[in-house]
């Protein structure tokens, strides 16, 4: 009996030595990227899809699980998939942005993305990360708590429902951005917003293409809201219903009630909904509406409204064609609502879910973000401001995408791909939210910031009014960060840090830089690799509002980037 017992003890001892991820399950998926004919607004278009689905398939996993996804490219364009918000600890090769962490998957080729979910629960999403292909290539990632770990709120949802906001273009989005980059003008706007791929009854030729959520009175529902739209921040509300926000960007928050919420491209928000029909009209139908929060130039966003239907199971003796309730939404440019809503978000900051915000800062950065111009090339007519070409920048650097992936260049010490001289602050300070400078031209380059492992970082993101104040949803790959402060006007380094919240700031991967204001974030650079940071308004990314962080390996084995996988695509 002694030998089997000793073997069993050795087995369990070995399990204890394995990394935490070994205790979770491994979830396998195959994503076949194919063209599929899809009809919306009486227009049929062949669009890239995963497994013929629009939106794409749902990934369901748990905190601690490993996720393995084989992506097969069966379309003529290059493809990558980004697992938006997944920390990718030491697995930067699987992050997905083209020419940042990998070369794209070419036609007929495949690549296996392999990563572990660590310390995250809630909702994220996946989307293509090449040009504007994410217009149709996207889908939800549902991250459940570890088995036996309850949600930190008292309600057990009867049902959980992903609600994905998107945009529909009657024309090919790739052709739209190609034309805009050629002419220097703003791109044509989308023709409709969608909820779970459907525009809903407020658009022409679309009444049948409406998402319906059927609910039972008295039941609780967890709605997993995802903004996968290309270029629009959105207000959202359900008529006659209160929403309880419990989670953003796969991190729990102190619950609070709201009738309306704001969600920017790249953000996710989990809300609890109690199905409570109107007492006098139990079979009534309630509209779920979303429309843009738009702060930019006129004509650069789709100012329409998408509708879905919250429908109650009809009570006995009631006819379903009873009243239709419609919620009211804020004005298009209601920046005060946007600021007040984001200020209500707070981390749980409990022993189980601490807010590990850096209290001291090793390196501070000040990034001025916004639009600018480039001169029109000779012998060409341009349609940007005053005959120039629209561009966008951070600290006056418009990012040039390389042709060799940044992570490959970093790992293999390939010279000439990028320079580690991205400015820590604007080289020529100006009144960022006041009268714009006479010269609106920007510089270009492939510049990064290099950080030592576990550096504590603070970044103040300052909006600029060079071509009009505008909100910018900034997304950081590879990290969650803490939003420690925000305000309007120009950031004041002598006064504003004294107001920072270092107790329970919200934890996010995408934050809206206020129109005509600033936001301050902090994070520990505890994930070796190369990490993209960019505006999640796709037009601004196309114009160059992006940069990258290079985080060097730490001294210990578990602090080093893993070697590249054997099937990593080549450029």
């Amino acid at each position: 009996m002694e030998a089997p017992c000793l073997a069993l003890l050795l087995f369990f001892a070995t399990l204890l030595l394995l990394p935490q991820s070994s205790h979770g399950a491994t979830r396998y998926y195959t994503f076949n990227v194919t063209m599929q004919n899809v009809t919306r607004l009486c227009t049929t278009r062949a669009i890239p899809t995963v497994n013929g689905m629009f939106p794409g398939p749902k990934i369901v996993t748990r905190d601690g699980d490993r996720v393995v996804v084989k992506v097969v490219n069966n379309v003529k364009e290059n493809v990558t998939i980004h697992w938006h918000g997944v920390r990718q600890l030491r697995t930067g090769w699987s992050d997905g942005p083209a020419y940042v962490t990998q070369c794209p998957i070419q036609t007929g080729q495949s690549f296996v993305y392999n990563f572990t979910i660590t310390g995250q629960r809630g909702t994220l999403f996946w989307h293509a990360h090449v040009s504007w292909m994410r217009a149709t290539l996207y889908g939800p990632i549902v991250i459940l708590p570890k088995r036996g770990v309850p949600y930190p709120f008292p309600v057990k949802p009867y049902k959980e429902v992903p609600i994905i906001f998107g945009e529909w273009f009657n024309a090919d989005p790739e052709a739209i951005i190609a034309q805009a980059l050629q002419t220097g003008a703003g791109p044509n706007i989308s023709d409709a917003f969608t909820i779970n791929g459907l525009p809903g009854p407020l658009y022409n030729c679309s009444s049948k293409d409406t998402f319906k959520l059927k609910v039972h009175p008295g039941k609780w529902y967890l709605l997993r809201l995802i903004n996968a739209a290309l270029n629009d921040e959105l207000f959202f509300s359900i008529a006659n219903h209160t929403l309880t926000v419990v989670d953003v960007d796969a991190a729990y928050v102190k619950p609070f009630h709201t009738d309306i919420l704001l969600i920017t491209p790249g953000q996710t928000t989990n809300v609890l909904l109690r199905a409570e029909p109107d007492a006098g009209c139990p079979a009534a139908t309630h509209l779920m509406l979303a429309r843009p929060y738009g702060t930019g130039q006129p004509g650069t966003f789709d100012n329409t409204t998408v509708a879905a239907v919250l429908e109650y199971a009809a009570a006995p003796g009631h006819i379903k064609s009873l009243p239709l309730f419609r919620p009211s939404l804020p004005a298009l440019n209601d920046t005060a609502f946007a600021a007040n809503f984001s200020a209500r978000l707070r981390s749980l900051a409990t022993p189980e879910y601490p807010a590990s915000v850096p209290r001291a800062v090793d390196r501070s950065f000040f990034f001025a973000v916004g639009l600018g111009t480039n001169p029109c090339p000779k012998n060409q007519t341009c349609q940007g401001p005053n005959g120039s070409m629209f561009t966008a920048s951070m600290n006056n650097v418009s990012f040039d995408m390389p042709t060799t992936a940044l992570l490959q260049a970093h790992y293999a010490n390939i010279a000439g791909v990028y320079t580690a001289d991205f400015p820590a602050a604007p080289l020529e300070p100006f009144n960022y939210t006041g009268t714009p400078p006479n010269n609106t031209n920007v510089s270009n380059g492939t510049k990064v910031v290099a950080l030592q492992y576990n550096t504590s970082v603070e970044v103040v993101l300052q909006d600029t009014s060079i071509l009009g104040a505008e909100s910018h949803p900034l997304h950081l790959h590879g990290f969650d960060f803490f939003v420690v402060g925000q305000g309007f006007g120009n950031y004041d380094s002598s006064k504003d840090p004294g107001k920072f919240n270092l107790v329970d700031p919200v934890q996010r991967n995408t934050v809206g830089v206020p129109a005509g204001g600033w936001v301050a974030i902090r994070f520990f650079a505890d994930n070796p690799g190369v990490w993209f940071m960019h505006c999640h308004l796709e037009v601004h990314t196309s114009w160059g509002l992006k940069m990258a962080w290079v985080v060097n390996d730490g001294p210990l084995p578990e602090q080093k980037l893993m070697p590249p996988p054997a099937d990593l695509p080549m450029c």
Side-chain angles (χ1 to χ4, degrees):
M1 293 295 292
E2 290 184 4
C5 287
L6 180 60
L8 198 60
L9 284 172
L10 287 172
F11 172 74
F12 282 112
T14 304
L15 277 183
L16 290 172
L17 293 173
L18 291 174
Q20 181 68 29
S21 62
S22 65
H23 297 290
T26 301
R27 315 273 181 163
Y28 293 96
Y29 293 86
T30 299
F31 278 19
N32 284 300
V33 181
T34 59
M35 300 302 290
Q36 183 79 19
N37 283 335
V38 172
T39 301
R40 298 289 186 269
L41 312 180
C42 285
T43 299
T44 300
R45 194 162 61 80
I47 65 171
T49 64
V50 166
N51 301 345
M53 300 170 63
F54 172 64
K58 177 172 62 177
I59 284 182
V60 180
T61 183
R62 289 186 181 274
D63 179 15
D65 285 357
R66 187 162 68 108
V67 179
V68 179
V69 187
K70 181 179 182 180
V71 176
V72 184
N73 183 9
N74 300 297
V75 301
K76 63 181 181 180
E77 294 86 6
N78 289 339
V79 170
T80 69
I81 300 294
H82 170 50
W83 317 95
H84 183 107
V86 172
R87 284 289 322 265
Q88 297 290 357
L89 289 168
R90 302 175 58 217
T91 54
W93 307 104
S94 288
D95 191 41
Y99 302 106
V100 177
T101 59
Q102 68 167 99
C103 300
I105 307 167
Q106 298 178 24
T107 305
Q109 303 297 310
S110 65
F111 177 50
V112 176
Y113 292 89
N114 188 335
F115 53 89
T116 298
I117 305 294
T118 305
Q120 296 181 287
R121 324 122 194 109
T123 305
L124 297 172
F125 69 115
W126 58 263
H127 61 78
H129 216 300
V130 177
S131 190
W132 280 25
M133 191 174 283
R134 75 174 180 89
T136 59
L137 273 180
Y138 59 82
I141 302 176
V142 172
I143 306 175
L144 302 171
K146 292 182 178 181
R147 290 195 182 278
V149 177
Y151 290 128
F153 38 84
V155 174
K156 182 176 174 58
Y158 170 73
K159 190 176 182 181
E160 302 186 6
V161 184
I163 304 285
I164 313 177
F165 305 106
E167 288 180 89
W168 172 261
F169 295 81
N170 286 334
D172 179 7
E174 295 295 324
I176 289 173
I177 185 57
Q179 181 186 30
L181 295 177
Q182 177 68 28
T183 64
N188 292 340
I189 60 173
S190 56
D191 294 281
F193 293 110
T194 58
I195 291 180
N196 290 348
L198 302 171
L202 302 184
Y203 294 101
N204 289 333
C205 194
S206 188
S207 59
K208 293 181 180 178
D209 293 327
T210 301
F211 174 71
K212 294 184 178 181
L213 175 60
K214 296 188 177 182
V215 296
H216 297 277
K219 300 289 188 183
W220 285 92
Y221 294 81
L222 182 69
L223 306 184
R224 297 176 174 270
L225 309 176
I226 300 165
N227 189 344
L230 279 185
N231 291 312
D232 289 276
E233 306 181 59
L234 296 169
F235 295 119
F236 174 73
S237 184
I238 303 176
N240 295 352
H241 288 74
T242 298
L243 306 172
T244 303
V245 178
V246 294
D247 183 301
V248 297
D249 292 2
Y252 295 129
V253 297
K254 290 182 172 68
F256 67 91
H257 306 304
T258 184
D259 297 330
I260 304 164
L261 60 84
L262 174 67
I263 184 167
T264 78
Q267 289 184 341
T268 64
T269 305
N270 282 6
V271 296
L272 287 170
L273 166 75
R274 181 172 170 81
E276 295 180 296
D278 183 270
C281 245
T285 296
H286 301 75
L287 288 181
M288 304 189 286
L289 298 184
R291 77 171 182 219
Y293 163 52
T295 57
Q297 302 298 304
T300 58
F301 46 83
D302 175 357
N303 186 19
T304 59
T305 302
V306 59
V309 171
L310 182 76
E311 191 173 80
Y312 279 88
H318 285 278
I319 303 171
K320 284 194 176 183
S321 59
L322 284 171
L324 180 71
F325 294 113
R326 178 177 181 141
S328 60
L329 290 169
L332 177 73
N333 59 351
D334 195 340
T335 294
F337 177 92
N340 291 335
F341 178 80
S342 60
R344 297 179 71 186
L345 295 165
R346 292 281 188 269
S347 290
L348 277 185
T350 62
E352 296 82 8
Y353 305 103
S356 302
V357 58
R359 299 300 182 97
V361 174
D362 297 324
R363 296 191 64 183
S364 296
F365 299 88
F366 181 87
F367 289 176
V369 300
L371 303 187
T373 59
N374 270 331
C376 189
K378 290 182 179 180
N379 302 319
Q380 183 177 328
T381 300
C382 295
Q383 299 171 15
N386 300 315
S388 67
M389 303 186 76
F390 268 118
T391 187
S393 68
M394 303 174 72
N395 282 352
N396 207 49
V397 178
S398 188
F399 193 86
D400 288 333
M401 293 302 289
T403 54
T404 299
L406 297 176
L407 186 58
Q408 290 172 296
H410 165 66
Y411 186 82
N413 291 313
I414 302 172
V417 177
Y418 63 84
T419 57
D421 59 349
F422 188 89
L427 300 180
E428 297 182 15
F430 60 97
N431 184 359
Y432 304 107
T433 56
T435 303
N438 292 328
N439 184 0
T440 60
N441 289 344
V442 306
S443 63
N444 290 72
T446 308
K447 299 175 182 290
V448 307
V449 172
L451 298 170
Q452 294 304 308
Y453 182 84
N454 214 33
T455 299
S456 57
V457 178
E458 178 181 282
V459 187
V460 175
L461 298 159
Q462 172 73 60
D463 183 38
T464 61
S465 58
I466 294 174
L467 292 178
E470 187 167 4
S471 177
H472 298 277
L474 262 291
H475 172 49
L476 175 60
H477 290 227
F479 298 94
D480 283 344
F481 51 75
F482 291 94
V483 182
V484 296
Q486 66 173 25
F488 289 111
N490 295 337
Y491 172 73
D492 187 332
S493 60
S494 63
K495 296 179 180 178
D496 289 324
K499 307 170 191 173
F500 284 0
N501 175 11
L502 303 180
V503 177
D504 62 350
V506 67
Q507 184 174 331
R508 306 212 71 138
N509 63 61
T510 305
V511 65
V513 180
W518 57 271
V519 65
I521 65 172
R522 290 186 180 184
F523 64 96
F524 287 106
D526 57 358
N527 194 5
V530 177
W531 305 107
F532 209 23
M533 183 172 178
H534 61 96
C535 184
H536 224 270
L537 302 179
E538 206 63 33
V539 60
H540 292 176
T541 299
S542 300
W543 283 338
L545 212 168
K546 49 197 173 186
M547 56 83 68
W549 304 87
V550 173
V551 179
N552 292 308
D553 284 349
L556 301 177
E558 65 272 17
Q559 298 171 345
K560 298 183 187 301
L561 177 69
M562 293 180 182
D567 63 339
L568 187 71
M570 306 301 291
C571 288

